[in-house]
Structure formats: C-alpha cells, structure tokens
Amino acid sequence: MCAIMHIKEIIDNFSFPVYLAPMEGITDHAFRMICKEKGADILISEFISSDALSREVEKSIVKMRFDERERPFGVQIFGHNEESLITAARIAAEGRPDFIDINWGCPVRKVVNKGAGSAILQDIPKMVALTSAVVKAVSLPVTVKTRLGWDHTSKPIVEVAERLQDIGIEAIAIHGRTRSQMYGGEADWNLIGAVKSNPRMRIPVIGNGDIDSAEKALDYHNRYGVDGIMIGRAAIGNPWIFQNIKQLIENKPLVSPTYMERVETALHHLRTSAEDKGERRAVLEMRTQYAGYFKGLRNFKSVRMKLMTASTIEECRQHMLAYSDEL
Ligand SMILES: Cc1cc2nc3c(=O)[nH]c(=O)nc-3n(C[C@H](O)[C@H](O)[C@H](O)COP(=O)(O)O)c2cc1C
C-alpha cells in the first residue's frame, strides 16, 4: 500500500498544478482519462451524494471508481447530514483515492434545498463542524471546494478558508462566485487572491472560475498568486487546454489540434465511455461535448446536428469522416 501523501506534497510535484474541475455528468472516467493524457494534473470524481454512498447505492459506488493512471485523484462527496458524510467519506477512503473533497459549492436547487452544497455558506459554524467530522473520520487528506459566499451581501470566504484550515483541511478550491450568481456574471478573483494573501493561510489555495484559455490560466496564476488553477467548462470537448498550458509554460508555440486529431480524440472518448457505460449511453452523453470538440469549424453545424441524432459510435465516426472529406 502506498503511503498517504499530504496535498501540499502532491501539489509540490507539479510546477504549475492544474486541476480538472469536478463536473457532474461530464467528468466521468472516460473524460478524466483524456484530460489526464492531455496534461491535467489532478483529477476529482463527479460529486457523489453522501446519502446514496452511505447506503452503498451502486450508481454512487461506480462514480467513485478510478484508474491508477488518474492519480492524484480525489473523490468528491456532498451532503448535509453528519452521519452520512462520515460514512460516505469512509467508504470513499476504502477505494484508496489520494484525497476526499467535500463539495460546499454546488448551487443547484435540488442540492441546496436539502442544506447541502453552497447552502452551507449560510451557516458557517455548521460548515466547520461537518467538515471537521469528515477530517476526523478518515486518515486521507480532506479538501474543500466552495464559493465566495451565499450572495452579494455575504462573502465570508477569507474567514471560511481560515476556519477550515484550522480544523485540518489540506487545500481549498474556490469558485469565485456566490451561490446566488449561479454561473452568471464574472468570477471575482480578487477575493480568491485575498484568501491566498492572508498571512495566516498555509494550505494550498486553488483558484477556479472562467479560466478559458492557457494564457488566462498563466495570467491568473501569477496575478493572484494561487497554488493551482482549476478548469471546468473550458475543458468540455477541449482537453487540449491542458496541453496548451504546458506548452505555454515551456515557452513552446501553442499547437491547435488538427481536425483528424479532434476526431480521433472524440472517438477514443466515445469508445472508452462505451466500455464503462454501454454504447447507447456513451453516444447520448457525448452530445454535450461536440460543441467543444469541433468548435470554430466552418460549416460544421449540419454535421453536429447529425452527431446529435446518431445512435451508434460507427454512425458518429462516419459523420465525422464525411466532413474530413469535405475539408
Ligand atoms: C455541468 C457542470 C457540472 C458541475 N458539477 C460539479 C460537481 O459535481 N462538483 C463540483 O464541485 N462542481 C461542479 N461544477 C462546478 C465546476 O466544478 C466549476 O466550479 C465551475 O464550472 C466554475 O469553473 P469554470 O468556469 O472553469 O467552469 C459543475 C459545473 C458544470 C458546468
């Protein structure tokens, strides 16, 4: 068995640590592997309900599975009930990921109405107590992903980060929006920077929100002094963003994928996903990624429409290749 590494040690292994943000319905094993191959450093599962995981619901157990090549890997749980969170964290830890991440940022009504995700930002003492219970329950490092606060009148993230550090979390990832912003407006990185520059903070601070290019990743990393960058939506159908960051750091020219590279990667994605979930579901789920995979291509719309109705991988392949003939 490998010795447990602290998050700081894990992060220090990378000169410019880049996380693939956890995204429910997107960052499954197939997509995470592709992002890893293209240069994402640290991966996290889709969020998993602690209520469901503590009852060992098969769908939740499947979500926490990962491949050794995905390391360093974290399992993310969400919930509002101490007992479920503790049980779920212990079950997740049995799968030997590198860390357990608690989601205190999800803005979705279904989650918030139960007091989970970003709802906890209205009750910081409870957030601290529940997080502390999870930290004590497992020997693995525990990290937190959260937002700035509940709404524009309450953005307590500087204090929250300090208090969570004090009860033993090993890193904090901050999405620079409040819950009430959902995904609207712009992420406020000044407050993320304020957390990082708080002289009391010792744990790594990961910045998240609106990073949509390699240039912006580097710029924001340097400008706000964060220990790592987390990328979500910009990676959907565009795993090359991770490769571009590496190219930029190494002062190499940024290389865009050719059409055939995009096709090969999309097909590889489809096939890996089909191995895990079956062809039908893989083909359906892949529809959210085509806009990214084939962004900016002239007259691609009609091909995309065909991809959106295709029902087998072979059909998808044929549509993609037909366009390459046109090119
Ligand atoms: C479709 C989708 C699903 C998401 N699911 C999760 C999730 O399971 N856990 C989580 O912590 N955040 C989730 N998020 C939030 C992202 O991790 C990230 O914080 C947010 O998208 C902002 O980063 P970005 O601007 O780079 O996309 C999700 C976001 C999207 C768009």
Side-chain angles (χ1 to χ4, degrees):
M1 197 186 81
C2 305
I4 292 170
M5 273 173 92
H6 290 292
I7 296 293
K8 193 154 182 354
E9 293 173 83
I10 291 176
I11 285 184
D12 284 348
N13 275 332
F14 302 101
S15 57
F16 186 97
V18 184
Y19 284 66
L20 169 64
M23 286 180 286
E24 153 80 352
I26 308 279
T27 55
D28 56 6
H29 162 69
F31 185 56
R32 293 194 307 257
M33 282 301 293
I34 287 181
C35 291
K36 185 82 182 184
E37 281 161 22
K38 301 273 181 261
D41 297 313
I42 301 175
L43 306 176
I44 303 181
S45 72
E46 299 165 80
F47 73 175
I48 305 176
S49 153
S50 58
D51 285 343
L53 190 56
S54 61
R55 283 183 280 114
E56 303 197 31
V57 171
E58 176 64 14
K59 230 172 104 185
S60 305
I61 300 279
V62 168
K63 273 192 178 172
M64 64 174 232
R65 287 195 189 126
F66 63 98
D67 191 297
E68 281 301 306
R69 288 169 295 174
E70 292 185 54
R71 288 192 188 279
F73 179 80
V75 171
Q76 188 186 68
I77 56 173
F78 72 95
H80 62 286
N81 170 282
E82 180 172 320
E83 210 180 300
S84 301
L85 280 163
I86 289 176
T87 310
R90 287 189 176 138
I91 292 173
E94 280 167 22
R96 308 230 161 275
D98 296 283
F99 59 99
I100 306 289
D101 186 64
I102 309 178
N103 177 321
W104 290 137
C106 179
V108 174
R109 192 170 298 142
K110 199 172 73 182
V111 171
V112 166
N113 281 351
K114 288 193 177 155
S118 61
I120 207 78
L121 288 163
Q122 297 171 107
D123 188 349
I124 307 303
K126 187 172 178 193
M127 181 188 201
V128 172
L130 291 179
T131 307
S132 172
V134 174
V135 169
K136 286 183 189 136
V138 291
S139 52
L140 285 179
V142 174
T143 61
V144 161
K145 178 167 179 285
T146 188
R147 290 185 172 229
L148 304 178
W150 178 252
D151 62 17
H152 71 284
T153 64
S154 150
K155 297 180 184 175
I157 190 63
V158 173
E159 178 207 334
V160 164
E162 225 183 281
R163 288 181 68 179
L164 293 176
Q165 166 183 271
D166 291 348
I167 53 93
I169 68 160
E170 294 204 12
I172 185 161
I174 304 164
H175 176 189
R177 285 187 173 83
T178 60
R179 188 274 170 172
S180 64
Q181 281 181 292
M182 305 294 280
Y183 290 92
E186 241 180 86
D188 175 2
W189 276 70
N190 288 319
L191 266 176
I192 300 176
V195 173
K196 179 59 200 171
S197 57
N198 174 357
R200 281 213 62 234
M201 286 305 283
R202 301 175 310 273
I203 59 170
V205 176
I206 315 303
N208 169 239
D210 300 348
I211 300 297
D212 56 6
S213 68
E215 290 87 348
K216 190 165 176 181
L218 252 72
D219 179 22
Y220 277 40
H221 178 269
N222 298 337
R223 201 186 309 175
Y224 298 100
V226 289
D227 301 281
I229 290 280
M230 182 181 270
I231 301 178
R233 289 165 296 173
I236 301 176
N238 181 27
W240 293 278
I241 192 168
F242 298 107
Q243 188 172 295
N244 285 159
I245 291 173
K246 298 269 178 304
Q247 287 161 344
L248 212 57
I249 293 166
E250 291 163 16
N251 273 325
K252 291 182 180 157
L254 295 195
V255 183
S256 304
T258 61
Y259 179 68
M260 281 319 288
E261 267 178 78
R262 298 187 202 202
V263 169
E264 276 158 28
T265 307
L267 289 174
H268 176 47
H269 187 166
L270 268 167
R271 289 184 188 119
T272 318
S273 176
E275 279 168 27
D276 294 339
K277 306 178 170 182
E279 182 168 9
R280 208 180 117 78
R281 223 176 115 197
V283 169
L284 270 177
E285 288 187 3
M286 191 67 176
R287 291 178 184 169
T288 52
Q289 305 249 357
Y290 290 130
Y293 271 118
F294 301 112
K295 193 173 170 182
L297 295 174
R298 213 160 18 95
N299 298 333
F300 194 80
K301 198 169 164 209
S302 62
V303 186
R304 213 173 93 204
M305 296 311 286
K306 287 180 191 152
L307 291 172
M308 297 305 267
T309 51
S311 51
T312 65
I313 297 177
E314 182 51 26
E315 255 182 80
C316 294
R317 194 179 76 93
Q318 294 296 344
H319 293 318
M320 292 176 198
L321 292 183
Y323 180 82
S324 93
D325 290 346
E326 262 177 55
L327 278 179

